[in-house]
Amino acid sequence: GINANLTHNGDTDTRLSFSANDQCDIVCSGTTIGSFTTDGIAIGNNKRIDILDTSGHRSGMLNNSDSGANSLRISADPDNSGSSTSLQFHVDGSEKARVNSSGSFLIGTTSDSIFNDTSGGGFNLKAGGQLVLAKEATSAADPLVLLNDTGQTTNKFIVFSQDGTEKCNLGLAGDNATI
């Protein structure tokens, strides 16, 4: 066996520590910055996890964005060392959504210009608030937008407003469409 602590020569407050059974801690400047246990990895208070690319740049970062609010920050290219960076979400081996460098949220597409595409589909929520939907129809019974309001017999489905004032709405009153 080995001692409970592996300490760097001449630097006694930086060490690899075996503080308990089935636990390994990394201690720097006397502060535990990370622990590895059978439950997983835990990092110290207000520390971060950096993900480096092959050039040594931080391509990603996970950290607590506010020490008092238990908020998680997920960052892509936190040092702005690249261009056209995106934060991507993959499921079952393929990309399903992304936030691009313009701040647009794209679902089901990697294109920020689906309004111009002639095939395919997706959902863009642009950084300025514009919503763009595109769908490649497979049948006439396959609508682009389906609104299903449950539990109401009279309701406004879509409200058109300008500067916070309602100008028009589309809705239902019983079985009748209303404008």
Side-chain angles (χ1 to χ4, degrees):
I2 60 174
N3 293 329
N5 295 306
L6 295 175
T7 305
H8 184 257
N9 287 337
D11 189 4
T12 58
D13 62 354
T14 299
R15 64 187 172 276
L16 186 61
S17 175
F18 303 97
S19 57
N21 287 338
D22 302 321
Q23 180 170 330
C24 179
D25 300 324
I26 299 173
V27 179
C28 291
S29 298
T31 301
T32 300
I33 61 166
S35 297
F36 299 85
T37 69
T38 55
D39 292 330
I41 301 171
I43 61 171
N45 292 336
N46 297 316
K47 303 297 184 217
R48 67 179 190 229
I49 297 174
D50 290 331
I51 301 166
L52 305 179
D53 64 18
T54 56
S55 302
H57 298 119
R58 291 190 308 157
S59 59
M61 180 181 72
L62 297 173
N63 71 322
N64 185 358
S65 65
D66 182 344
S67 62
N70 297 322
S71 299
L72 176 66
R73 177 184 301 147
I74 301 171
S75 301
D77 190 17
D79 301 322
N80 198 25
S81 60
S83 61
S84 299
T85 303
S86 64
L87 180 61
Q88 302 172 12
F89 301 88
H90 290 244
V91 177
D92 293 335
S94 65
E95 183 175 329
K96 304 301 182 194
R98 74 169 47 196
V99 178
N100 68 16
S101 59
S102 299
S104 296
F105 186 47
L106 315 176
I107 299 174
T109 183
T110 58
S111 171
D112 197 12
S113 60
I114 59 175
F115 57 86
N116 251 357
D117 295 345
T118 58
S119 65
F123 172 100
N124 289 175
L125 180 56
K126 304 277 192 158
Q130 181 186 28
L131 173 64
V132 181
L133 301 172
K135 184 182 136 324
E136 189 167 344
T138 56
S139 76
D142 197 12
L144 172 62
V145 177
L146 173 64
L147 301 174
N148 180 21
D149 186 14
T150 62
Q152 294 287 330
T153 57
T154 303
N155 205 8
K156 299 175 185 178
F157 278 122
I158 299 174
V159 175
F160 298 92
S161 295
Q162 183 176 19
D163 298 326
T165 302
E166 182 177 326
K167 301 293 184 178
C168 176
N169 70 72
L170 301 176
L172 290 175
D175 292 334
N176 300 313
T178 61
I179 296 179

